[in-house]
Amino acid sequence: MSANRLEAIYNALPVVLQNLLVSIKGFQLQKVRKSGNYSSYRRIISERSHWSQQQFLDYQLEQLQAVVGYARDNTTHFYRLCDELGLNYAFINSLDDIRRLPVLRRHEITQNHNDFIAHSVSEKQRYAVHTTGTTGSPLKVTCDSDARQKNYAFFDQYLDSIGIDSDSRHIIIGGRILMPPDSNKPPFWRYSVFQKSLLMSSYHLSDQYIAFYVEKIADFKPTYIESYPSSIYRIAQFMNERDICVPCKAIITSAETLLREQRSAIEHAFSCPIFDQYGCAEMSVFSAQCKKGAYHVRPDYGLLEILDDNDEPLPRGEKGNVVCTSFINRAMPLIRYNLGDISAFGPHCDCGLNTPTLIGIEGRKDDVIYTADRKAVGRLSPVLKGLPVVAVQYIQNQVGFLQVLIEPACEFGEKSLSDIDVSLRSRIGEKMQVEYKIVDTIPRGRGGKLKSVISTIGKPNLSP
Ligand SMILES: [Zn+2]
């Protein structure tokens, strides 16, 4: 059964049954994420948090040697690459030796996806994860349950480090489709009972509905809230204007650049600190703010490089492309993968965690389009999940009208455009006028990066 058909059936069910289905799905996810070696990974990650800088560097070299050897022996891409470069021996003797391999761009993976999957991981063990980055190019990443367990062990251990119990009641405000976009009465949320998680739709956060969200958040009393900065900021603004405060222990933001105005408004509304996290579906980087506000990079999650546009390393403080090598995903080992984000290494933080820091992430400012009733819709990247396109760009020059440029992948067929339309409409509704244009290439910007949204109409009153 197609995903669209399943979605139609789900949408037709009463809320109580939708809650049940969301809970069952949550239970299944929890089982995958927290079984296997999850507990021991979490303990080990916690122990490593006390390591010295040298211990991390030694560990990284060991991991890099293992990952490069493994990728060469188990994937078509790296086997061919090492063969062409004459690297058919253990050539990693220091971390700098990684530079003997070229930097990998997203389109190289989308065009030859199967060449990156490890033969050693059987089809039964593989999971597909679709990236929802803001670069406008979808990427299907394959992982296995071990990678997911490690990933969640890192996240949950991070919550521990900032004093949050990951099993406590929480709210996630995100881009999951929980109800039809044109739905005009609450609840705009569903409850996953086993995860103690209230999932709120970020697509229904228009002025007329925010009061319902605030009332529900106050009633639910979450220990912490995970959200895109732009979503929780809208709620916080509404609360601050009415002098409403709902105290929480922490707000965890991710996936967009967190602006200064957003931080102070959100911290005020929820009377707690914000911890901003930077990770990616490619499972190549894990960085998050410590209690002192520094963005620490976990060196045991992957190796992070900051490179200029000629792929040369940049010194601390100079901004460049974020390029990562994953240590945790053996199903699809990505080595020197350019994530399309911009950052720089920051100063040492004296909080006790001896890892490199970043100055924060640029280039992920959430791009927003406006529907006919001026409802802001961000996070459009999930529209492309699983669809045969190389890249998409949304261009908006007037409210209520959107032009969509599509660079098709080779499997793009007659039905693809209607699938894209259905997926897009599930976020922007039926009233928006949309014009699709199939093009050979969408012009790229800096560092080959594609800007996913180009908008010439007014944005909310924010500055970075
Ligand atoms: Zn710190």
Side-chain angles (χ1 to χ4, degrees), residues 290-294 296 349-353 357:
C290 68
K291 283 184 173 174
K292 292 199 164 189
H296 285 267
C349 173
D350 60 4
C351 70
L353 187 55
T357 67

Side-chain angles (χ1 to χ4, degrees), residues 173-193:
I173 306 170
R176 268 178 68 171
I177 295 174
L178 301 160
M179 69 270 328
D182 298 328
S183 161
N184 56 8
K185 61 174 198 296
F188 301 113
W189 44 84
R190 299 293 179 263
Y191 184 54
S192 181
V193 64

Side-chain angles (χ1 to χ4, degrees), residues 69-119:
Y70 173 86
R72 186 186 55 202
D73 294 346
N74 290 284
T75 71
T76 306
H77 173 83
F78 288 107
Y79 177 79
R80 273 196 212 131
L81 183 67
C82 290
D83 198 40
E84 277 166 28
L85 298 171
L87 299 172
N88 297 312
Y89 53 93
F91 63 93
I92 302 281
N93 298 308
S94 75
L95 290 177
D96 286 342
D97 285 336
I98 195 173
R99 295 181 59 203
R100 299 180 72 175
L101 291 171
V103 171
L104 191 57
R105 260 82 189 179
R106 182 181 284 240
H107 67 90
E108 295 175 70
I109 307 171
T110 45
Q111 283 164 4
N112 305 291
H113 180 261
N114 288 344
D115 290 353
F116 288 87
I117 297 177
H119 319 306

Side-chain angles (χ1 to χ4, degrees), residues 257 319 340-343 359-365 446 449:
T257 302
K319 288 178 188 171
D341 292 326
I342 305 288
S343 190
I359 53 151
I361 304 298
E362 280 181 24
R364 294 186 306 131
K365 267 174 210 166
R446 192 188 161 187
K449 189 166 170 163

